[in-house]
Amino acid sequence: MSDVVGHSPFAEVAVLLVMAAAIGLFGIMLRQPLIVSFIAVGMIAGPSALDVVRSDEQISLLSELGIAVLLFLVGIKLDVKLIRSLGAVSLLTGLGQVAFTSIFGYIIGLALGLGHVTSLYVAVALTFSSTIIIVKLLSDKREIDSLHGQIALGFLIVQDLVVVLAMIVLSAIGIGAATEAGGHGGGSVFSVLASGLAMVALVVLFVRYIANPLTERLARAPELLVIFAIAMAAIFAAIGDLVGLGKEVGGLLAGVALASTPYRETIAARLAPLRDFLLLFFFIALGSTLDLSLLGTHVTGAIVFSAFVLVGNPLIVLAIMGALGYRKRTGFLAGLTVAQISEFSLIFVAMGVALGHVQEDALGLVTMVGLVTIAASTYMITYSHQLYAVFEPALGVLERRGTPREPTGAGVHHEDGYKVLVFGLGRFGTAIGLRLQKRGVRVLGTDFNPLAVRRWRKLGLDARFGDATDPEFVAELPLAHAEWVVSTVPILPPGLSHEDTRSTLIQLIRTSGFRGRIAVASHHPRDTEELFASGADLVLEPFQDAADRAVDLLCGAPEEERTEIPSIETEVRQAP
């Protein structure tokens, strides 16, 4: 295969794209996450198999640009008020997890017969989780805006800062190298912190004085607005990397700089396909760096360390968040995001090998742990709700009474008397809620996005924060006197998860003793029969309904001849 590709970067990228499409399609047919398929492409195309990947610099460039765009899109959707409220828990959880993993990882390393320096390297490497993989998974599941998604993003940023400091200390001080390097290392750390504060100050000034007027002018040419957004992501990532903060932090700050503009949704929508394309090369590059020849050196150690990362890291996050007053479900879902090691873990140990501090078999050990934990945690995050349902009975000891940090019922003044409950407070759900309120119908909305809940309350509607697939949350809702439950929750794209949130919600509502009627939104006619079979009484098809209404208006049909538009009170497309 390497002879076919030759020395043409274009031919190499073409072959990689064909492989990604073929293996990705095969993975979707097997209902596997695309991340696993793309990492497999890297492993197959890497030096341990077909040896297709030769243009390391070009692929690395595309990979790094994808990382910048990914974190930019995360930053552009961040809620500043939520960041302020989650700062403490993110810091405590991030530092707590790093300390726990480092200490116990070091002890496990010594118990397995590794040397002190090797144990220290491996222990520190185990503390890093892959921000890119986690953000990609949570974005695909549409949980990046949820409470556990925002908390996870917060302590992942803390981890990234620890990564930066660890690598600076390692390269400057050398862990026991020449003593004169110590002073330089301290200066480097101070320089990074000062540079970080300077970048934050720059973002604040940009948001305050430049962002809105500049984007308003750029928006006159939409293509220019998109180019500007990519330029922002790239230049901030480059500056972040130059000063030692890393491309991830720089890209995130670039997104935050544009998060207050009225065009952020437009920018995010246009950059999403570019992000997915560029991230393909990140996962290919990650898979190609996994040297399969080193994997069999420490099988026992890899199994022990992998089990420690997959189980220990989520447990410590769950325990810390429980102590801080968060519900066990929030802690569990956030904890699963740290159940793998990062690409930085491999880089960190590789630096140790280059410095002569550890042997090459240590890199093989960490590589094998990375392969196991990245693959396993991808499934754990993808099927996190099913896993929670299995382990929920045993997690009660890690939850404080009252969960004071959870905003579940705040802002709801009347605990009963709601006629309609709406799950999913997006545009369609909000439109339904406002129209019901206008007709004098008492409505309660629920969503797992704190920003959506806050937006509903500003509109004068009662809302609760919670997950529609959480049995405890659904059981606590005031369903006794409700006549309708309406679900407008969006559905995940096929191939990512087996779970249909709508069917799960219908089951949970019925098992909670609800005797009223259930309406479910669907964007695909083929889902109608399945939803009726699951127990839905009414299927709402927003696009079809809007099209019917538009045709009536365009044709000027008399009032009595116009197509009846389905609402909560009507009974079109009802179950037979």
Side-chain angles (χ1 to χ4, degrees):
M1 179 66 74
S2 60
D3 295 332
V4 175
V5 173
H7 299 287
S8 171
F10 185 85
E12 180 180 326
V13 171
V15 170
L16 289 174
L17 290 175
V18 171
M19 292 178 63
I23 296 178
L25 176 60
F26 182 71
I28 286 180
M29 292 173 61
L30 297 177
R31 309 284 295 185
Q32 305 305 308
L34 280 176
I35 286 179
V36 174
S37 299
F38 292 160
I39 293 176
V41 171
M43 295 176 62
I44 296 172
S48 299
L50 299 181
D51 196 19
V52 174
V53 180
R54 298 292 184 85
S55 304
D56 294 329
E57 292 184 2
Q58 289 86 344
I59 292 177
S60 177
L61 175 61
L62 293 172
S63 168
E64 291 170 355
L65 187 57
I67 293 171
V69 173
L70 172 68
L71 272 297
F72 171 84
L73 291 179
V74 172
I76 205 171
K77 292 189 175 183
L78 283 182
D79 178 15
V80 177
K81 293 181 180 179
L82 188 61
I83 293 173
R84 291 173 183 169
S85 65
L86 298 181
V89 65
S90 297
L91 183 63
L92 291 174
T93 305
L95 294 179
Q97 182 266 322
V98 168
F100 169 85
T101 306
S102 299
I103 294 171
F104 283 91
Y106 177 72
I107 294 173
I108 293 173
L110 294 178
L112 290 173
L114 302 178
H116 288 279
V117 176
T118 302
S119 297
L120 180 61
Y121 265 92
V122 173
V124 174
L126 296 182
T127 65
F128 308 147
S129 300
S130 179
T131 303
I132 294 90
I133 291 177
I134 293 166
V135 169
K136 174 62 175 169
L137 283 170
L138 292 179
S139 298
D140 286 346
K141 293 189 70 179
R142 300 178 185 177
E143 294 183 2
I144 194 67
D145 294 325
S146 67
L147 181 61
H148 68 268
Q150 294 287 285
I151 293 174
L153 178 62
F155 61 65
L156 287 171
I157 292 173
V158 172
Q159 281 190 5
D160 287 343
L161 295 176
V162 173
V163 171
V164 171
L165 294 177
M167 290 186 175
I168 289 173
V169 171
L170 179 61
S171 59
I173 302 176
I175 309 180
T179 55
E180 60 270 15
H184 179 69
S188 298
V189 173
F190 177 78
S191 175
V192 169
L193 294 176
S195 300
L197 293 176
M199 289 190 70
V200 172
L202 177 63
V203 168
V204 171
L205 292 174
F206 182 86
V207 170
R208 188 176 183 88
Y209 299 108
I210 303 175
N212 284 339
L214 179 59
T215 54
E216 183 177 355
R217 182 173 293 272
L218 291 170
R220 298 173 185 175
E223 297 83 357
L224 187 58
L225 180 64
V226 172
I227 293 174
F228 171 74
I230 298 173
M232 281 280 292
I235 192 63
F236 269 76
I239 294 173
D241 190 49
L242 184 65
V243 301
L245 286 172
K247 299 179 184 67
E248 295 82 3
V249 176
L252 185 73
L253 289 175
V256 172
L258 296 178
S260 62
T261 67
Y263 305 101
R264 69 174 193 169
E265 295 298 335
T266 301
I267 294 172
R270 297 216 172 191
L271 288 187
L274 177 64
R275 171 203 63 192
D276 295 337
F277 172 73
L278 293 174
L279 280 179
L280 164 65
F281 294 96
F282 166 78
F283 294 116
I284 289 176
L286 176 61
S288 65
T289 59
L290 299 176
D291 190 348
L292 303 182
S293 64
L294 299 175
L295 299 185
T297 309
H298 291 290
V299 176
T300 302
I303 294 174
V304 173
F305 280 122
S306 296
F308 171 65
V309 172
L310 291 170
V311 178
N313 282 356
L315 281 179
I316 188 60
V317 170
L318 178 59
I320 294 173
M321 290 184 61
L324 292 174
Y326 287 89
R327 299 170 68 218
K328 57 187 178 182
R329 183 182 182 86
T330 304
F332 182 85
L333 296 179
L336 289 182
T337 62
V338 293
Q340 88 286 112
I341 66 174
S342 167
E343 63 280 0
F344 289 118
S345 303
L346 307 179
I347 296 173
F348 181 77
V349 178
M351 289 177 64
V353 174
L355 291 171
H357 296 158
V358 295
Q359 299 298 317
E360 193 167 316
D361 58 353
L363 180 59
L365 170 62
V366 175
T367 299
M368 192 167 186
V369 173
L371 186 61
V372 172
T373 57
I374 288 174
S377 66
T378 298
Y379 292 102
M380 291 167 66
I381 296 173
T382 301
Y383 302 104
S384 56
H385 299 287
Q386 292 92 327
L387 286 174
Y388 176 78
V390 173
F391 294 106
E392 186 271 336
L395 301 177
V397 295
L398 299 174
E399 181 181 68
R400 281 173 55 186
R401 290 182 177 273
T403 56
R405 296 293 291 273
E406 292 276 345
T408 50
V412 179
H413 305 293
H414 308 285
E415 288 300 312
D416 215 335
Y418 296 105
K419 296 300 182 183
V420 179
L421 274 71
V422 178
F423 288 83
L425 308 184
R427 288 179 295 179
F428 187 42
T430 300
I432 290 176
L434 289 172
R435 284 158 176 76
L436 287 171
Q437 184 188 51
K438 188 175 181 179
R439 297 192 182 192
V441 179
R442 290 201 62 211
V443 58
L444 173 66
T446 68
D447 202 294
F448 73 169
N449 183 347
L451 183 60
V453 172
R454 187 180 300 121
R455 187 165 53 238
W456 251 57
R457 291 172 183 164
K458 287 182 179 179
L459 293 172
L461 297 165
D462 289 341
R464 284 193 182 187
F465 170 83
D467 193 331
T469 61
D470 182 356
E472 292 183 359
F473 172 72
V474 174
E476 294 171 358
L477 291 173
L479 295 168
H481 301 287
E483 297 177 3
W484 281 94
V485 167
V486 182
S487 170
T488 65
V489 178
I491 305 304
L492 299 174
L496 180 67
S497 173
H498 293 281
E499 182 181 33
D500 187 333
T501 307
R502 300 168 299 184
S503 299
T504 303
L505 177 60
I506 292 172
Q507 296 172 7
L508 293 177
I509 290 173
R510 291 304 186 195
T511 55
S512 297
F514 177 65
R515 299 182 180 276
R517 310 178 75 180
I518 300 175
V520 183
S522 173
H523 298 300
H524 302 286
R526 63 177 179 271
D527 295 340
T528 300
E529 293 301 322
E530 295 181 5
L531 292 172
F532 282 144
S534 298
D537 299 292
L538 173 65
V539 176
L540 304 173
E541 297 179 0
F543 296 118
Q544 296 295 331
D545 300 339
D548 291 339
R549 176 64 174 169
V551 169
D552 286 340
L553 293 173
L554 291 171
C555 294
E559 189 70 31
E560 63 273 12
E561 295 180 10
R562 290 183 178 177
T563 305
E564 184 180 7
I565 306 302
S567 64
I568 297 302
E569 291 83 0
T570 60
E571 301 184 8
V572 297
R573 286 193 293 277
Q574 295 189 21

